[in-house]
């Protein structure tokens, strides 16, 4: 990717870097952080985050991307768990007090090379070259209970997954990717920033997703679009009465959706209006990309996540632990995968890591069927306590714990309910603490509490008060009964 130094690499709004400028900025930063055991990165949707990530990769230093909106409790957990030696942030970014104890290095995204500097690869800090199994990134992901776990992603997994999707999507250096995804998860940062760089192509990041931004960038040379289903839903909603958007989507080479299922009506609306199909791919923080509909697939495949990517082995396993051998589009099993795309474990969590594997097969927790030609269709999830909202994975347990920390809450249960925009929305069921009149917390107060403690995207979109939570004889909360109550209300 360093062989065409004058080519555009990254553009965020008005700010852009060529490959040469990126090599200079990231090379200079890499030289400063080389030898650090681990660094945190204040992962705003900016050029600085891209430069910081490339620098850490060049230096062979594992990087922990931090959601800049992470609340106090979640941030404290991630810092205690990952113990970064220093934090990388854009100059001028105000960091929360929890990061105050760390050495800070400002990312200078616009370091310009001396005019005489030779072109070619950026300087690599002295020291042994990190091997393929060396950790590249630690990305935090929610489980059903407790705080998020850090998935340790080795260098080879990132390389393997990016090359595998390039094969499925015929992704080349001529492509210009457009997206407005956040940069602290696999989708936006690894596939969406490192992906184009590995191909020698370009990224145009929108800063934040907007229909207008997508229209503008696709009309101005963008060839590919990445998004979560909520973004495609918003595009589908805007199509009527927006001929510029229709034209922009129709002109794109490839529209890719992932992180959650794209509902059929949105597939249909987009294809009907633009003549373009949206290609779905299926991935996970721990596994990076597993399957995708291939661009050369002659059949339209709405509702399918396609076939296993090169290098990914995939099997379905039934409740009794037996492999599902039927390719009948009906027999359901849990998706298990193995391959070089996998993470190497959860940081500091050997038991959780062991529980996630069946031998060398990773248990995804996603339930699926396989069609006669091997294509995979996801039909559900094993854990009802995992909620996918706006493409973010959210554990019911972590929100319940945060709610229980509020003095006005005696009991709390959290469920996901279908939502046309977010896929699922977080609903909190709360039994208020015994308190005098007027002391009962308002829904807004509880919502703000969760946003402040965890992250804004984990906040309940609805709070429902009850006198008691339905429990079975063992005292366990019956979430299905809550669901039935919602359906009947
Ligand atoms: C509202 N806000 C609040 C509150 N209410 N903030 C604090 N307290 C409150 N009470 C703010 C929010 O911070 C936000 O600010 C704004 O109001 C709107 O927030 P929200 O409603 O959450 O935004 P949205 O419009 O619902 O977001 C939809 C979205 C977003 C843009 C689609 O969900 C999104 O970016 N999703 C992407 C998820 C993703 O990348 N997943 C990848 C992980 P502000 O507007 O300033 O931000 S999955 C993965 O990586 C695997 C490998 C895979 O397969 O891809
Ligand atoms: P995360 O842990 O945030 O990486 O989310 C991974 C989960 O997102 C997977 O286990 C799936 O449940 C879900 N997911 C990702 N891509 C798709 C897709 N194309 N269709 C359905 N679910 C998906």
């Amino acid at each position: 990717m360093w062989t065409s130094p004058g080519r555009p690499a990254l553009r965020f709004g008005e700010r852009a870097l060529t490959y040469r400028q990126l090599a200079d900025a990231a090379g200079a930063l890499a030289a400063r952080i080389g030898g650090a055991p681990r660094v945190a990165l204040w992962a705003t949707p900016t050029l600085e985050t891209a430069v910081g990530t490339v620098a850490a990769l060049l230096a062979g230093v594992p990087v922990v991307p931090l959601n800049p909106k992470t609340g106090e409790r979640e941030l404290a957990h991630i810092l205690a768990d990952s113990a970064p030696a220093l934090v990388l942030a854009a100059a001028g970014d105000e960091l929360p007090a929890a990061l105050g104890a760390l050495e800070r290095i400002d990312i200078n995204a616009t370091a310009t090379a001396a005019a005489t500097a030779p072109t070619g690869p950026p300087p690599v800090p002295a020291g042994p070259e990190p091997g393929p199994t060396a950790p590249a990134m630690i990305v935090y992901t929610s489980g059903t209970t407790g705080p998020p776990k850090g998935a340790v992603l080795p260098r080879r997994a990132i390389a393997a997954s990016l090359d595998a999707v390039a094969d499925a999507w015929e992704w080349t250096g001529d492509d210009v990717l457009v997206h407005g995804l956040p940069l602290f998860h696999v989708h936006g940062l690894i596939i969406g920033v490192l992906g184009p760089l590995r191909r020698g192509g370009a990224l145009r990041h929108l800063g934040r997703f907007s229909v207008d931004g997508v229209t503008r960038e696709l009309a101005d040379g963008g060839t590919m679009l990445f998004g979560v289903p909520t973004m495609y839903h918003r595009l589908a909603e805007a199509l009527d009465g927006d001929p510029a958007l229709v034209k922009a989507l129709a002109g794109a080479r490839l529209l890719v959706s992932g992180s959650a299922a794209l509902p059929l009506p949105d597939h249909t609306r987009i294809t009907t209006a633009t003549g373009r199909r949206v290609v779905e791919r299926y991935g996970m923080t721990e596994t990076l990309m597993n399957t995708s509909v291939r661009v050369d697939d002659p059949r339209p495949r709405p509702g399918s996540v396609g076939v296993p990517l090169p290098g990914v082995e995939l099997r379905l396993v039934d409740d009794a632990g037996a492999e599902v051998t039927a390719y009948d589009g009906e027999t359901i099993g849990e998706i298990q995968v193995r391959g070089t795309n996998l993470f190497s474990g959860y940081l500091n969590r050997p038991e959780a890591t062991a529980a996630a594997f069946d031998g060398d097969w990773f248990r995804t927790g996603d339930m699926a069927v396989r069609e006669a030609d091997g294509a995979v269709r996801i039909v559900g999830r094993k854990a009802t306590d995992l909620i996918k909202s706006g493409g973010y994975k959210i554990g019911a347990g972590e929100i319940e714990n945060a709610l229980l920390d509020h003095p006005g809450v005696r009991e709390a249960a959290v469920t996901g309910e279908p939502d046309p925009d977010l896929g699922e929305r977080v609903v909190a069921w709360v039994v208020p603490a015994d308190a005098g009149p007027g002391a009962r917390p308002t829904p807004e107060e509880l919502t703000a509490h969760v946003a402040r403690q965890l992250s804004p995207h984990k906040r309940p979109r609805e709070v429902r008060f009850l006198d008691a939570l339905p429990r079975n004889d063992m005292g366990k909360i019956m979430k299905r009964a809550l669901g039935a109550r919602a359906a009947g209300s």
Side-chain angles (χ1 to χ4, degrees):
M1 70 186 197
W2 309 111
T3 49
S4 311
R7 280 171 72 94
L10 302 166
R11 197 166 94 192
F12 285 69
E14 299 296 305
R15 302 174 68 217
L17 293 178
T18 62
Y19 274 92
R20 164 73 172 279
Q21 291 165 327
L22 173 61
D24 289 337
L29 183 58
R32 294 187 66 190
I33 64 174
R38 197 176 285 154
V39 298
L41 173 64
W42 193 243
T44 52
T46 60
L47 265 184
E48 280 74 11
T49 296
V51 169
T53 305
V54 174
L57 285 171
L58 287 172
V61 174
V63 60
V64 185
L66 300 174
N67 172 0
K69 289 200 174 147
T70 301
E72 292 162 27
R73 181 188 173 119
E74 193 167 293
L75 184 59
H77 162 71
I78 293 174
L79 294 178
D81 191 51
S82 63
L86 46 91
V87 57
L88 308 179
D93 274 357
E94 213 173 294
L95 302 187
L99 285 162
L102 294 181
E103 182 192 345
R104 170 182 179 151
I105 294 188
D106 284 344
I107 304 169
N108 182 358
T110 47
T112 45
T116 52
T119 58
V124 175
E129 175 128 353
T133 57
M137 264 189 216
I138 296 154
V139 179
Y140 277 80
T141 183
S142 293
T144 51
T145 56
K149 302 187 284 276
V152 181
L153 302 173
R155 298 169 77 89
R156 73 160 180 219
I158 294 176
S161 213
L162 293 181
D163 292 348
V165 289
D167 181 76
W169 301 338
E170 297 173 3
W171 190 357
T172 72
D174 291 333
D175 278 305
V176 177
L177 174 65
V178 174
H179 75 80
L181 291 155
L183 299 187
F184 47 85
H185 275 307
V186 165
H187 194 167
L189 185 59
I190 297 186
I191 313 301
V193 173
L194 299 180
L197 297 181
R198 191 163 170 88
R199 303 273 72 83
L203 165 66
R204 306 253 190 92
H205 194 277
L206 304 174
R208 60 185 302 162
F209 170 81
S210 72
V211 172
D212 288 349
V214 168
T215 307
R216 186 186 63 240
E217 296 302 337
L218 285 180
D220 186 29
T223 65
M224 294 167 77
L225 177 68
F226 284 1
V228 295
T230 301
M231 296 172 178
Y232 282 102
H233 176 76
R234 293 179 186 179
L235 292 171
E237 292 274 281
L239 282 167
D240 262 357
D242 190 345
L245 172 64
V246 172
K247 191 167 170 220
L249 290 176
R253 184 181 77 77
L254 191 63
L255 309 174
V256 185
S257 173
S259 301
L262 182 65
L264 286 179
D266 292 328
H267 270 289
T268 308
R269 284 198 288 179
I270 291 171
T271 304
T272 306
T274 69
R276 288 264 148 224
R277 357 178 220 152
V278 181
V279 160
E280 281 199 72
R281 84 337 177 245
Y282 158 62
M284 199 170 172
T285 303
E286 293 89 334
T287 66
L288 305 186
M289 298 299 112
N290 293 313
T291 70
S292 181
V293 174
R294 300 184 60 90
V295 282
D296 56 6
D297 187 338
R299 286 177 50 187
R301 298 245 183 212
S304 167
V305 293
V307 291
L309 289 163
V312 180
E313 284 182 84
L314 183 148
R315 68 179 187 184
L316 300 185
V317 175
D318 69 18
D319 283 347
E323 187 166 342
V324 174
T325 50
Y327 280 46
D328 58 1
E330 277 179 20
T331 314
I332 298 173
E334 181 192 13
I335 300 176
Q336 298 190 352
V337 290
R338 67 178 177 191
T340 44
N341 54 312
L342 258 53
F343 75 143
S344 40
Y346 296 112
L347 188 68
N348 305 323
R349 302 286 298 274
E351 282 161 24
T353 304
F357 282 88
D358 177 359
D360 58 352
W361 292 92
F362 177 76
R363 309 171 202 263
T364 65
D366 293 308
M367 307 301 290
V369 299
R370 290 189 89 164
E371 309 292 349
D373 61 3
V376 176
R377 192 154 50 81
I378 296 176
V379 297
R381 224 176 8 238
K382 249 185 165 169
T384 48
D385 274 348
L386 278 180
I387 300 161
K388 264 269 158 169
S389 189
Y392 288 113
K393 187 195 261 185
I394 302 170
E398 58 182 323
I399 307 175
E400 288 160 3
N401 290 338
L403 287 168
L404 289 169
D405 250 11
H406 190 284
V409 174
R410 185 167 60 193
E411 292 184 83
V414 164
T415 56
E417 287 184 14
D419 185 280
D421 181 46
L422 297 170
E424 286 181 290
R425 67 174 170 276
V426 173
V427 176
W429 305 79
V430 168
V431 179
D434 292 325
R440 180 169 127 163
T442 61
E444 293 73 27
E445 200 179 327
L446 294 179
T447 297
H449 172 76
V450 173
R452 211 167 41 238
Q453 294 294 316
L454 303 179
S455 286
H457 67 261
K458 296 182 179 176
R459 71 190 189 276
R461 305 290 171 133
E462 234 177 286
V463 179
R464 298 187 188 138
F465 292 102
L466 297 172
D467 293 332
L469 294 179
R471 291 181 186 271
N472 66 14
D473 293 346
M474 311 289 290
K476 196 170 176 305
I477 299 166
M478 296 191 295
K479 292 204 175 171
R480 281 187 211 288
L482 289 172
R485 198 179 291 226
S489 62

